[in-house]
Amino acid sequence: QKEVEQNSGPLSVPEGAIASLNCTYSDRGSQSFFWYRQYSGKSPELIMFIYSNGDKEDGRFTAQLNKASQYVSLLIRDSQPSDSATYLCAVSGGAGNMLTFGGGTRLMVKP
Amino acid sequence: SQTIHQWPATLVQPVGSPLSLECTVEGTSNPNLYWYRQAAGRGLQLLFYSVGIGQISSEVPQNLSASRPQDRQFILSSKKLLLSDSGFYLCAWSSNGYTFGSGTRLTVV
C-alpha cells in the first residue's frame, strides 16, 4: 500500500523565518509530487508541483525532491502569518494516476 | 478555463435521512472525478472515483454511494445517514494534480 508520511505538527515559526515542511513516501515508482495548502474550513489548493530531482522555486516557495531518499520538502521563505495553514503532500505514479495524500502538517507563523 | 462547482456549502441532516451532494465540472471533457471526506482535524479519505460515465470505483465500504449520470456530473448519495458520516466532503477532478471544489460541510445530528 502506498504511503505518504508527514509530521502532523504544529510547526511554529516566527514571522520572516523559513518554514521547512517535510514528506516521505513509500512507492519508489512515484513520479509526481504536489504540495497543497488548506486553510481551516476551506478546501485544499495546489501551490506547487515537482517532477524532477532537485529544487523548484516559485516566489517564496521552493519544493525539493530527492527520489533516492524518497523525500520531498517545501520551504517557505519570509513566512507570513497568512501562511498559517495545513500543508498536504501528495504523490502519484504519473499522468492519470491517483494521488495519495499525507495527513498534512499544520504550520503556525507567529507575528 | 476549467472550474468545479460543489453544493451545498453546509448541510445539517438528521440521522437516518437521505443525502445527495452534487459536483459539476466545466471547461473540460471526460475528467477523472473523485469524492473525498475529511473528518475534523484529519486527513483526506478517498471515497469514490470515476473515470467515465457510469464508472464508479469505491475505496471504502460504507453506506455511501456515488453516481456519474453525465460526463461532468458526480453525485454522492446515502439512503440513511449515520452520525459517523459527518465531515467535510470534497469533490475533485484531476488535471495536473487535483483541483478541489469548495466542499460541503455535513453535520449529521
Side-chain angles (χ1 to χ4, degrees):
Chain A
Q1 184 175 352
K2 300 177 182 178
E3 293 183 349
V4 178
E5 299 287 342
Q6 295 180 256
N7 187 317
S8 61
L11 172 66
S12 182
V13 300
E15 183 175 357
I18 296 176
S20 178
L21 304 162
N22 305 316
C23 172
T24 59
Y25 58 95
S26 63
D27 184 5
R28 283 197 170 274
S30 299
Q31 298 179 25
S32 306
F33 307 86
F34 304 85
W35 282 100
Y36 288 81
R37 177 177 61 200
Q38 185 177 23
Y39 291 113
S40 180
K42 302 296 184 181
S43 62
E45 54 179 332
L46 181 66
I47 53 175
M48 283 202 74
F49 59 88
I50 186 168
Y51 301 142
S52 304
N53 275 330
D55 295 358
K56 179 182 179 182
E57 186 174 319
D58 183 1
R60 295 188 296 112
F61 298 95
T62 299
Q64 299 176 317
L65 175 61
N66 184 326
K67 290 186 177 181
S69 300
Q70 296 174 245
Y71 178 93
V72 58
S73 65
L74 179 70
L75 302 179
I76 306 175
R77 290 182 299 281
D78 188 24
S79 295
Q80 301 297 309
S82 59
D83 294 325
S84 298
T86 296
Y87 289 80
L88 301 169
C89 173
V91 174
S92 84
N97 285 18
M98 289 193 297
L99 294 186
T100 300
F101 285 87
T105 298
R106 184 180 166 208
L107 172 66
M108 298 173 59
V109 182
K110 298 191 173 180
Chain B
S1 64
Q2 301 94 347
T3 56
I4 181 168
H5 302 279
Q6 194 178 340
W7 67 92
T10 60
L11 195 58
V12 180
Q13 292 284 100
V15 169
S17 64
L19 173 73
S20 181
L21 302 179
E22 188 163 345
C23 170
T24 59
V25 181
E26 294 179 358
T28 186
S29 59
N30 197 30
N32 291 346
L33 297 172
Y34 308 85
W35 277 112
Y36 282 86
R37 178 172 61 199
Q38 189 175 38
R42 305 293 295 274
L44 295 170
Q45 179 187 32
L46 178 63
L47 301 176
F48 301 96
Y49 68 94
S50 172
V51 298
I53 296 174
Q55 300 179 59
I56 307 294
S57 295
S58 174
E59 290 293 305
V60 182
Q62 55 202 325
N63 69 319
L64 298 173
S65 62
S67 63
R68 187 166 175 178
Q70 300 180 39
D71 181 44
R72 287 171 282 184
Q73 184 184 30
F74 203 21
I75 298 172
L76 181 70
S77 303
S78 174
K79 293 182 179 179
K80 290 185 178 182
L81 285 168
L82 306 174
L83 287 173
S84 57
D85 292 323
S86 293
F88 190 39
Y89 287 81
L90 291 158
C91 179
W93 72 283
S94 61
S95 55
N96 184 23
Y98 289 2
T99 300
F100 288 89
S102 55
T104 295
R105 186 160 306 280
L106 172 67
T107 304
V108 182
V109 296

